[in-house]
């Protein structure tokens, strides 16, 4: 994700090989470019558990969540304010869609 390294403050970038997960983006990603960032919060439970729900509301989870949210907002601004970046996003999307066929 654009801007992640600027704000990450030592957070480890999501590695789908290390932490595999599914996405709820489904068919949307075949119509428009999408991304779904992943990041860790202090938690003993896995996603979709009561422990995770409680941990996501804890003060310790707010910092990482805010940093990733800011990186997403900055990425959106970069894409919309820089025509070259928007064209690159479109190009990569079209290539990915063509590869799926």
């Amino acid at each position: 994700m654009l801007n992640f390294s600027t704000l990450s403050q030592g957070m480890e970038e999501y590695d789908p090989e290390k932490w595999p997960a599914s996405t709820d983006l489904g068919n949307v990603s075949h119509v428009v470019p999408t991304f779904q960032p992943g990041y860790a919060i202090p938690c003993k439970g896995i996603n979709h558990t009561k422990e995770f729900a409680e941990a996501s509301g804890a003060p310790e989870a707010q910092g990482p969540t805010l940093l990733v949210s800011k990186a997403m907002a900055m990425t959106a601004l970069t894409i919309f304010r820089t025509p070259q970046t928007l064209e690159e996003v479109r190009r990569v999307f079209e290539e990915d869609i063509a590869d799926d066929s």
Side-chain angles (χ1 to χ4, degrees):
M1 172 180 12
L2 298 171
N3 300 299
F4 178 80
S5 59
T6 304
L7 296 173
S8 65
Q9 298 181 355
M11 286 176 62
E12 190 173 343
E13 190 162 358
Y14 177 71
D15 178 357
E17 297 295 321
K18 188 174 181 181
W19 304 297
S22 62
T23 175
D24 293 330
L25 290 175
N27 293 338
V28 173
S29 65
H30 294 275
V31 179
V32 295
T34 60
F35 71 100
Q36 182 172 350
Y39 63 99
I41 60 171
C43 181
K44 292 189 168 112
I46 60 172
N47 290 0
H48 308 293
T49 64
K50 180 181 177 185
E51 293 83 10
F52 183 82
E54 290 170 356
S56 67
E60 298 82 15
Q62 304 317 301
T65 302
L66 185 58
L67 287 173
V68 172
S69 299
K70 286 179 180 180
M72 289 174 63
M74 289 172 63
T75 299
L77 284 171
T78 299
I79 291 169
F80 292 123
R81 295 179 76 193
T82 313
Q84 305 92 321
T85 304
L86 180 57
E87 287 305 315
E88 176 70 7
V89 168
R90 287 180 177 153
R91 184 189 64 73
V92 170
F93 173 71
E94 293 297 329
E95 287 176 3
D96 288 349
I97 293 300
D99 288 344
D100 286 347
S101 300

